[in-house]
Amino acid sequence: MLALRRAANPLRVRAQQVVSARGCASLEVLLNADAKDVEEHHEGNCQKACCCRNPKLPAFRLPFSSSQFALSRSFSSQAGASSGNKDDALEDGFSDLEVPPGADKKDAGLTSEDSSDEDAADEIGLPDVDAGAKPEKEHMNRTSDSILLKAMLETPRHGVTKALEKWAKDGNTLDRGGLFFVLLNLRRRKWFGKALQLLEWVEESNLLEFGERDYASRVDLTAKVYGLHKAEQYIEKIPAAHRGEIVYRTLLANCVSEANVIKAEQVFNKMKDLGFPATVFSFNQLLLLYKRVDKKKIADVLAMMERENVKPSLFSYKLLVDAKGTSRDIEGMEKIIQQMETGGIEPDLMFNATIARHYIFNGQREKAEALLESMEGDDISTNRAACKILLPLYAFLGKNDDVERIWEVCKDNTRLDECLSAIEAFGTLGDVEKAEEVFENMFARWKTLSSKFYNAMLRVYAKHNLLDKGKELAKRMDETHVKFGNTTLDSLVKLYVDAGEVEKADALLHKLAVTNRVRPQYNTYLMLLDSYSKKGDIHNSERVFNKLRQIGYTGRIRQYQLLLHAYLHAKAPAYGFKERMKADNIFPNSAVAALINATDPFVKKKSISDLLD
C-alpha cells in the first residue's frame, strides 16, 4: 500500500426544453429560434409563454451547504484543498473513465454514455442496493413476461399509482425477485421517478417486508429524483434496525455523484462515528470523488485505507490508473498496474481499455497497439465481449481497416452496445454515412431506441459541424417521444456551440432543462461558460457561473478560471475576485492567481497572450 501511495502522490491535474405543448414552444420552434430572441429567455422576469413563466423550482435545485467542514479523520475541504502549484494550471471538472484523457472535449466520443456495467455498478452501488434478492429465472427470460413491468412501461408517470392499484386488483402477486427485475429495468431506462413511485407503493401497501437493502434502494431513488436533502430526511424515518452501513453508503454514493465534496465528507465521517466497518466501497467513493475534483487528496485516502487495513479492489485500481493517466504520468500509471498485479488482482477488459486510452492519447502507439492485440485474442469472433471496446479504440488510432474488420464480425448479428460503439468509431474516423447506416439499421431491427443511441449520432454531427442534420435528429427524437435526459442536452449544446451558435445553445438548454426537469451536466455549462469567456462576454459568463452555483455545482476551481478569462478577454477589471473565491471556500492555484492579478486594476499586468498560454 505504501508503494501505491507513493505512486499516487503527487497527482498533477491536467487541463482542462423537448418542451411540451402546454404553455411552451415546440422543439422545432426552439431549434430554429432567431438569435435576437434568445436574450429574452435569459431574463428572470420573461413573460413569454414559451419561457414557462415562474416555473416551480425543481427538487434538484435544493441549495447545498457551503460552510466549511473539516473531516474528523484527516480529510478536509478547507483552505488549501483547491490550492495548486504551477503544474495545476488547468483543472478538469469531470474526467470519467470513459472520456479520452488527452482528447479535446469536442472530440471526446470514445465510448457510449455509460461505462461498462461493472464500472457503473461499482461507481453508484446499485447492485449492493438491490441485490438482496436475486431475480427468479422466469423473470429474466423476457421483459414481456412481467405484467408489472409492462404496466410500468406503458403508464405515464402521473398515473403510476392507479396502474399499480389496478394491477393488484387483477389478482397479481409480487415477490422480491419480480420487484428486483422491474426496478432493474426502470433503472436501466433511467426512469427513476417511476421506480421510486413503485417502491413507495410497495412499502406503503406492506406487500413485502422491507429490509436494509430495500430501504437503501429507496434512499438512492429519492436522492436521484428529489435531491440529497430529501434522501437524508427519508433516512431519519427508516427504522433504526435497518439504518445501517448500506443505507449510508448509498447516500455517500449519491453525494459523490453530485460531486458535493462537503456533504460526501460529512456522510463518510458520520459512518465512522456510527461505528460502521470500513469498506472498500466507501473508500472507492472517496477515490472517485477526489479523482474528479482534487487529485492531491487521493494519497490521503490510500493512507486511510492502509490504516484501516482495507485492500484496494479492481475498481480502486481503475480509478488510480485513470487519475495517473489523465495527469499524463504514464510511468506512474505503470507502477500502479505493477502493484496491482503483485497483489494478485487480474485486469479485466475495461481496465485494459482504460490503460489503452491513456497510451493512445499520450502518444504511446506501440504500447497501445500491443495491448489491443492482447485484448483481441487469437480469434475475435470467439471474443465478442471485446468488440464493443476495441471499435472506438482502433478508431482513435486511425486504424480504419481494423474498425471495419471488427465490425464485420458483429454486423450480421449485432448487439446494441456494439452498434453504439460502431457509431462512435465511424464518427471518429469521419465516416458519417457509415455511422448513419449503422443507426438506421438499428431502427430496422429494434424499431425503437433509447436516447443514448440518438445522443451518439448527435455527437457525431457535432464533431463534424453538421448542425442541420443534428436538428433533424432532435426533431425525430421529439416526434417519437424519446426521453431528453442530461446527456441529450449535453449533445445538443455541443452541436450548437461547435457550430458557433452559443446563444441558441444556451436558450435551448434553459428551456429543455426546465420543462423536462433535468439537471444538466457540469461540463454542459462549462461549454457555455468557455464560449462566452472567449468572447469576453462578462454578462453571460456571470449568468452561467451563477447557474452552476445555483444548482449545486460548487467547489471546483475550473469555473472560476473561465470566468476570469471572460474579464481578461473583455479587458475589464474583476474587483474583489480573490475575496469572492475565499467566501466560496475556493483557493486559487497558480494559474488562477495569475489571472486574478491580471484582472486586478491595481496590479501590474503580464501580457494577455502570456496568461492565455
Side-chain angles (χ1 to χ4, degrees):
M1 183 73 80
L2 179 60
L4 195 60
R5 285 163 50 199
R6 287 174 177 168
N9 190 33
L11 286 165
R12 298 179 178 182
V13 184
R14 74 164 175 89
Q16 244 306 355
Q17 280 192 5
V18 178
V19 183
S20 67
R22 291 174 291 181
C24 298
S26 68
L27 179 62
E28 184 171 1
V29 171
L30 291 174
L31 293 173
N32 294 288
D34 291 331
K36 66 181 181 180
D37 297 326
V38 170
E39 186 64 28
E40 298 180 59
H41 298 298
H42 299 325
E43 304 300 331
N45 60 350
C46 178
Q47 296 300 308
K48 293 186 118 184
C50 60
C51 272
C52 304
R53 67 184 66 165
N54 301 323
K56 183 180 178 180
L57 187 66
F60 57 67
R61 294 187 186 177
L62 287 170
F64 299 122
S65 170
S66 59
S67 61
Q68 266 185 319
F69 185 87
L71 275 136
S72 59
R73 289 165 177 79
S74 82
F75 288 99
S76 175
S77 289
Q78 304 182 82
S82 297
S83 301
N85 54 34
K86 64 183 179 180
D87 296 313
D88 299 328
L90 292 173
E91 175 178 293
D92 188 23
F94 276 88
S95 176
D96 293 332
L97 294 176
E98 65 270 17
V99 178
D104 182 88
K105 287 296 180 182
K106 295 179 182 178
D107 298 329
L110 179 59
T111 66
S112 59
E113 193 177 321
D114 301 313
S115 55
S116 71
D117 289 343
E118 182 188 51
D119 283 346
D122 209 342
E123 179 175 334
I124 61 179
L126 292 184
D128 285 324
V129 171
D130 280 332
K134 298 296 181 183
E136 296 178 1
K137 187 174 181 180
E138 59 267 23
H139 287 297
M140 299 302 294
N141 289 334
R142 291 174 54 204
T143 298
S144 58
D145 290 341
S146 172
I147 300 173
L148 178 58
L149 178 59
K150 187 179 180 193
M152 294 297 292
L153 295 178
E154 294 176 351
T155 303
R157 183 173 174 178
H158 59 80
V160 167
T161 301
K162 289 184 178 180
L164 289 170
E165 290 173 350
K166 181 181 183 303
W167 174 86
K169 288 179 181 179
D170 290 342
N172 295 296
T173 58
L174 183 68
D175 56 40
R176 197 169 294 277
L179 176 63
F180 170 83
F181 179 62
V182 175
L183 288 174
L184 183 63
N185 275 274
L186 292 175
R187 284 182 182 277
R188 285 175 174 170
R189 291 169 169 81
K190 300 188 184 298
W191 289 354
F192 301 122
K194 284 188 175 183
L196 178 59
Q197 289 185 69
L198 170 60
L199 208 52
E200 288 173 341
W201 181 77
V202 170
E203 182 180 2
E204 292 165 4
S205 303
N206 295 316
L207 292 182
L208 294 173
E209 183 178 351
F210 265 37
E212 184 179 354
R213 294 181 185 275
D214 302 303
Y215 287 114
S217 183
R218 183 164 171 181
V219 169
D220 178 69
L221 291 168
T222 301
K224 285 176 168 55
V225 177
Y226 295 115
L228 297 174
H229 181 66
K230 291 291 185 182
E232 287 184 288
Q233 289 181 331
Y234 175 71
I235 287 176
E236 296 303 316
K237 300 176 183 179
I238 296 174
H242 298 295
R243 204 184 306 149
E245 187 263 344
I246 295 176
V247 166
Y248 280 97
R249 81 181 187 191
T250 301
L251 178 62
L252 173 64
N254 279 279
C255 294
V256 171
S257 178
E258 297 284 340
N260 191 327
V261 178
I262 294 175
K263 181 60 68 176
E265 292 172 344
Q266 288 176 341
V267 173
F268 183 86
N269 280 332
K270 185 168 185 176
M271 293 170 69
K272 284 277 193 177
D273 295 337
L274 291 172
F276 295 139
T279 63
V280 69
F281 179 89
S282 296
F283 283 115
N284 281 346
Q285 293 303 309
L286 291 181
L287 289 173
L288 180 62
L289 176 68
Y290 294 135
K291 182 181 79 75
R292 289 171 167 175
V293 301
D294 190 356
K295 294 182 177 68
K296 293 180 293 297
K297 287 188 178 180
I298 288 178
D300 295 332
V301 179
L302 295 175
M304 185 183 291
M305 291 176 71
E306 186 175 8
R307 289 197 301 271
E308 299 285 350
N309 197 29
V310 176
K311 302 294 184 184
S313 66
L314 178 61
F315 188 66
S316 309
Y317 283 109
K318 284 182 183 180
L319 295 172
L320 295 174
V321 163
D322 190 54
K324 270 297 185 183
T326 299
S327 302
R328 298 185 179 276
D329 184 358
I330 298 301
E331 183 180 353
M333 181 183 80
E334 290 174 339
K335 286 180 180 178
I336 292 175
I337 297 167
Q338 186 177 29
Q339 179 75 12
M340 182 189 79
E341 292 173 346
T342 301
I345 298 179
E346 294 293 327
D348 61 7
L349 278 172
M350 286 304 299
F351 188 90
N352 284 331
T354 301
I355 301 170
R357 283 193 281 273
H358 291 302
Y359 280 148
I360 292 169
F361 292 103
N362 283 282
Q364 311 234 0
R365 290 182 60 92
E366 290 184 3
K367 288 184 177 181
E369 290 172 2
L371 184 54
L372 294 186
E373 185 178 343
S374 68
M375 291 168 63
E376 190 170 333
D378 296 330
D379 184 3
I380 189 61
S381 63
T382 62
N383 188 21
R384 283 291 292 270
C387 290
K388 66 177 181 180
I389 299 171
L390 292 169
L391 280 167
L393 292 172
Y394 276 128
F396 273 101
L397 283 169
K399 290 181 168 289
N400 300 56
D401 293 342
D402 287 302
V403 170
E404 290 284 359
R405 177 175 57 82
I406 299 294
W407 181 238
E408 282 295 321
V409 174
C410 305
K411 71 177 187 179
D412 290 335
N413 184 26
T414 54
R415 301 168 184 173
L416 281 169
D417 51 4
E418 293 169 346
C419 292
L420 194 62
S421 292
I423 290 171
E424 293 164 347
F426 288 121
T428 299
L429 293 171
D431 194 343
V432 177
E433 291 184 2
K434 188 71 173 181
E436 290 174 329
E437 179 186 331
V438 175
F439 185 73
E440 295 301 333
N441 286 340
M442 293 175 71
F443 271 103
R445 179 173 178 182
W446 285 288
K447 308 304 179 186
T448 58
L449 297 173
S450 69
S451 62
K452 66 181 178 180
F453 302 101
Y454 287 91
N455 296 338
M457 276 308 308
L458 283 173
R459 288 192 294 271
V460 171
Y461 290 142
K463 179 180 177 66
H464 298 286
N465 200 19
L466 299 171
L467 179 60
D468 290 338
K469 285 193 172 186
K471 288 162 66 174
E472 287 302 317
L473 185 61
K475 293 173 189 175
R476 186 172 172 182
M477 292 180 71
D478 186 31
E479 292 165 357
T480 53
H481 308 292
V482 176
K483 180 183 177 183
F484 276 55
N486 57 11
T487 309
T488 306
L489 299 191
D490 185 75
S491 300
L492 284 170
V493 168
K494 180 184 290 291
L495 182 72
Y496 276 89
V497 167
D498 288 358
E501 300 191 21
V502 61
E503 290 83 4
K504 285 188 179 180
D506 197 350
L508 193 64
L509 177 66
H510 166 73
K511 290 206 167 286
L512 294 181
V514 169
T515 55
N516 289 277
R517 297 181 64 84
V518 174
R519 184 180 191 247
Q521 297 174 0
Y522 176 70
N523 278 334
T524 307
Y525 282 114
L526 278 199
M527 275 193 286
L528 296 176
L529 184 54
D530 184 44
S531 297
Y532 282 132
S533 70
K534 288 176 179 176
K535 296 166 65 175
D537 188 338
I538 295 174
H539 169 72
N540 281 317
S541 294
E542 285 280 8
R543 181 178 50 76
V544 174
F545 177 86
N546 289 329
K547 187 68 174 178
L548 278 164
R549 298 178 76 248
Q550 178 188 3
I551 66 173
Y553 289 125
T554 58
R556 310 182 200 187
I557 201 169
R558 178 64 170 155
Q559 60 210 65
Y560 293 87
Q561 186 174 11
L562 290 176
L563 183 58
L564 281 167
H565 270 146
Y567 282 92
L568 192 65
H569 283 292
K571 299 181 180 180
Y575 293 105
F577 205 90
K578 191 172 184 179
E579 290 71 23
R580 181 176 175 181
M581 291 182 68
K582 187 176 181 181
D584 290 340
N585 198 31
I586 301 294
F587 297 86
N589 57 25
S590 57
V592 173
L595 286 168
I596 291 174
N597 289 337
T599 53
D600 189 330
F602 306 109
V603 176
K604 185 178 180 181
K605 319 285 190 308
K606 293 183 179 180
S607 69
I608 290 180
S609 60
D610 289 340
L611 290 164
L612 294 180
D613 289 341

